Amino acid sequence: AINYFAAVAITQAIFPHYKKRNRGDITLISSIGGLKGFSLRSGYSASRHATKRHKNTASELYKTNLTISLVYPDRTNTNISKTALVGDG
């Protein structure tokens, strides 16, 4: 959930500053998992898909010179992904 709510909170926090300047750029990070899902990672994939929907909604709501980009990195081989499915991970 933090993946999604952090993106929303940051967008909401910076938008007033960008509105005053009448321009700005925000880059949000999603994941390939938000597009196609990952086996046994439904919560993660759902939060990344929600980030994609937030980008679309924010683009419609904040009709200014605000550019919102979304990056979709692929899976990476890290200890987090290795231990995410075990009881102590």
Side-chain angles (χ1 to χ4, degrees):
I2 191 78
N3 293 326
Y4 169 71
F5 288 113
V8 171
I10 290 168
T11 303
Q12 290 175 337
I14 15 185
F15 178 70
H17 303 287
Y18 286 166
K19 187 175 180 180
K20 285 180 189 176
R21 295 173 35 197
N22 196 34
R23 66 180 181 85
D25 298 289
I26 297 175
T27 301
L28 301 173
I29 307 298
S30 183
S31 168
I32 291 296
L35 294 175
K36 64 178 186 174
F38 291 144
S39 176
L40 303 175
R41 304 282 198 283
S42 59
Y44 174 79
S45 295
S47 72
R48 290 316 193 169
H49 182 76
T51 301
K52 177 184 176 188
R53 294 289 127 218
H54 169 64
K55 184 260 185 203
N56 294 347
T57 302
S59 295
E60 292 175 17
L61 288 176
Y62 305 135
K63 292 191 182 219
T64 63
N65 289 329
L66 176 61
T67 301
I68 303 176
S69 302
L70 193 55
V71 177
Y72 295 99
D74 204 350
R75 290 183 125 176
T76 56
N77 189 12
T78 66
N79 286 336
I80 290 173
S81 64
K82 290 177 187 174
T83 61
L85 299 177
V86 296
D88 60 351

